[in-house]
Every structure is written in C-alpha cells, then in structure tokens.
Amino acid sequence: GDALARGWLLHIQNCRVPISILGTLFTFTLIFRFNSCYDRWWEARKKWGDMISRCLDMGRMNRCLIANQQIGDRMSRFIVAYAFATKALLRGSHLGTKEGEGAELVKRGILAQEELDALCAQPCWQPHFCVEILYTCIIEAHKLPRGSGMVFDLTNKIHGEIWQCFDAVIREMSDLVGDCVRIRASGLPASYDGVTNLSFFVFFIMASFIWSTDIGWMTPIIVAAASFIILLLIVMGTNLVDPFGYDKVDIPLEDFCETIEAQIYAIDERHRNKVLEKIFKTQKPQKTNLRRSSTFFIPELSYLSKRKVT
C-alpha cells in the first residue's frame, strides 16, 4: 500500500511540467477573450467620441451657414435629440419610454410633444429619423429665395460646397449609428465562453492535485484565491461585451449626451449674442508681447569643409 501511494505521489509530482503547459494555454485563452471584450468596449468608446465630434461639427456649420433662424433652431434641437435617440436605441429602448428620456427632452424644450409623437409613431430607428429631419432642414434652407435660408446665395461659388459639407457630416452621423448597433448586436462567439470555462475547470481541478504535493493543506486557500481572481477577469470581460448598458464599466452614455446638449447650447448662445461678430469688430492690439523668443538658434556650419572626392 505504501509503495502504491509513493508511486502515485511520484506520478503526480512528475506532472508539474504538463500542468505548467496547461496553465500557459489557459492564460492565453483568458487573455485572448478579455482582449476581445476590451476591443469591443474601446471601439464603442471611439465611435461615441466620433459622434460627439460630428454633432458639434453639425452644430457649428448650422449656426455659421444657415441664415434662417427657425431652421437653425430646429437643427440644433434635433442634433441633441439624435444623441439621446442613439443612446435609447443602443439600450433596447426608444424616446417614448421613461428610459429613453423623451418626456424630459420635451420639458427642456429640445422636442415639441408633436415631434416626439411623430418620432415614436414611425417604425424605424429614431436616430435615422433625426438624420432625415436634418437633411430636410438643409433642403428647406436651400429652397428659400435670395439667400434668406443660407448665408451664401445660389450665385456664390461656395454654395455648392456647403451642401457637400453638410452631406458628409450627416452621412458619418448615420454610419456611426450603424457601427454602434453592430457592436451591440454581434456579441462574442459562443465558443469563446465555452473554451474559457472548460479551460478554467480543467486547469484548476488538475492543479489542485499537483500543487497539494508541495503546499499541502494550503492548497484549497491558494486555489480559491486564484480562482476568485480569474473569475473576476471573466466577469469583467463579460460586462465589457455590451458596452452600452448600465454597468459601472460601461460607457457613460448619459454624460456623453449631456456633453453634446451643453455644447450645442453654448454654440447657439454664441450665435444669439453675436460673440464672433463682436470679436471681429474689436481693434487689433498695437503690440504683441511673447513670453519667449519665437526664433531658434541655428548653429554655424560654414566651417565644415566639403569632403573631397578622389
């Protein structure tokens, strides 16, 4: 009996190298899955960063190029509504629900109740509906006669370029919605979770026997601590798969939407108060004092002689 036990103990001790190889494979599987989850989160973060930039671009072009005040106000309102509609869509909701905050937009004057009802009555993605309204506003501005809709009239060479600028930004806004929906809907392949979970159980069950020959009664404590840390990484990766939810690790969509709303409001206020016009009317200062010299030291290289070619 003792000889058999010593034989089994020797066999278990000889499995240290195979279990190390198995641990390496499990670590690679875990890192690969976590990186895939994080890449989805980071891509979603970049898409929303681009969305903020495009919304602000549209807001600036709106106030600089649209001459009609009523059309400009409507465009500003629907730029903000576009952001909130996108947030609601990515969370499986719409502006007509409490989670979609459509009623709050009506209270803040972003949408009229009739506009919200029209958005909720259409069987389509609400962000794309907002994009169509932006297109309609630009078309209506072009239709107004004698330059009352646009800053430049039809005879100006830049008039045709203005449409291309608006069209490019609106196309990007539409594409960003589709990219975010793709990130949310695609998910991870089921095999990723299956391989990771199988590797987790196989590795720690086998490691428990092999580590017990060296650490003895500490084996359950070490295995439990290591398992807990690995499970945290697995759960964290699972939460990153859908970056548009309500978890603490998810993207703060509320903050992004509030940022867009605040910055569009700031652009509108600058336009109403004619801040830019006042700046251009100010006189240029007589002298500009630099904190440091604007020139750079250029070393003297004339003493260097040319190399003679033999």
Side-chain angles (χ1 to χ4, degrees):
D2 293 339
L4 182 61
R6 295 191 189 94
W8 275 102
L9 183 62
L10 180 62
H11 290 320
I12 293 175
Q13 291 175 343
N14 291 334
C15 290
R16 292 173 182 172
V17 174
I19 198 63
S20 299
I21 297 174
L22 185 61
T24 302
L25 295 175
F26 170 63
T27 303
F28 173 78
T29 302
L30 180 65
I31 293 175
F32 181 78
R33 180 183 183 274
F34 185 83
N35 285 341
S36 299
C37 298
Y38 181 77
D39 288 342
R40 289 171 54 85
W41 183 92
W42 183 244
E43 183 181 6
R45 175 62 183 84
K46 290 193 296 184
K47 295 299 181 183
W48 265 88
D50 293 340
M51 191 176 297
I52 294 174
S53 299
R54 298 295 82 76
C55 288
L56 300 187
D57 289 342
M58 179 60 65
R60 285 189 292 266
M61 289 193 300
N62 169 35
R63 290 308 181 182
C64 292
L65 301 176
I66 301 295
N68 186 276
Q69 184 69 32
Q70 184 177 1
I71 294 178
D73 291 343
R74 180 174 288 107
M75 286 190 65
S76 294
R77 293 190 294 105
F78 274 94
I79 291 172
V80 177
Y82 160 85
F84 282 90
T86 303
K87 181 193 72 171
L89 175 66
L90 296 177
R91 289 180 172 175
S93 182
H94 57 84
L95 294 179
T97 62
K98 182 178 180 180
E99 294 79 8
E101 301 185 38
E104 293 295 326
L105 294 179
V106 174
K107 291 180 181 179
R108 297 202 298 270
I110 303 299
L111 290 176
Q113 186 61 48
E114 295 78 7
E115 294 171 338
L116 178 61
D117 295 339
L119 278 168
C120 298
Q122 301 301 318
C124 65
W125 289 353
Q126 291 179 347
H128 283 177
F129 193 107
C130 296
V131 168
E132 292 179 12
I133 294 177
L134 294 178
Y135 264 124
T136 304
C137 290
I138 299 171
I139 293 173
E140 291 298 322
H142 278 78
K143 288 181 179 180
L144 294 178
R146 294 184 297 277
S148 59
M150 308 294 296
V151 175
F152 301 97
D153 56 21
L154 294 174
T155 60
N156 197 300
K157 294 181 179 180
I158 202 175
H159 191 276
E161 301 295 333
I162 293 177
W163 169 261
Q164 296 181 11
C165 293
F166 277 114
D167 182 65
V169 175
I170 292 179
R171 283 178 180 271
E172 290 187 32
M173 293 172 66
S174 179
D175 292 340
L176 288 171
V177 175
D179 292 338
C180 290
V181 171
R182 170 183 55 80
I183 294 173
R184 181 181 184 273
S186 59
L188 286 179
S191 58
Y192 283 19
D193 293 336
V195 171
T196 303
N197 294 333
L198 179 63
S199 301
F200 172 81
F201 286 108
V202 171
F203 172 74
F204 279 104
I205 290 175
M206 298 184 64
S208 300
F209 290 100
I210 297 171
W211 292 347
S212 63
T213 60
D214 294 326
I215 58 178
W217 63 270
M218 286 289 293
T219 302
I221 300 176
I222 300 300
V223 171
S227 300
F228 179 74
I229 295 174
I230 298 300
L231 283 176
L232 283 180
L233 292 176
I234 294 176
V235 172
M236 185 182 300
T238 302
N239 292 334
L240 292 176
V241 172
D242 182 10
F244 305 116
Y246 296 93
D247 297 327
K248 292 184 178 180
V249 298
D250 290 334
I251 296 174
L253 298 184
E254 290 84 2
D255 294 340
F256 291 165
C257 292
E258 291 174 3
T259 298
I260 293 174
E261 181 179 356
Q263 292 304 313
I264 292 297
Y265 178 79
I267 293 172
D268 292 346
E269 284 300 302
R270 287 199 299 268
H271 174 76
R272 293 189 184 97
N273 297 328
K274 301 185 183 300
V275 175
L276 299 180
E277 289 82 350
K278 294 178 182 178
I279 291 177
F280 275 97
K281 291 180 181 179
T282 57
Q283 295 182 355
K284 183 179 69 172
Q286 298 296 326
K287 184 179 178 181
T288 301
N289 295 321
L290 299 178
R291 289 188 176 181
R292 61 182 179 86
S293 177
S294 59
T295 59
F296 298 91
F297 172 73
I298 301 177
E300 178 62 38
L301 302 178
S302 60
Y303 66 92
L304 295 178
S305 60
K306 297 182 180 179
R307 190 177 67 173
K308 297 181 180 181
V309 180
T310 56

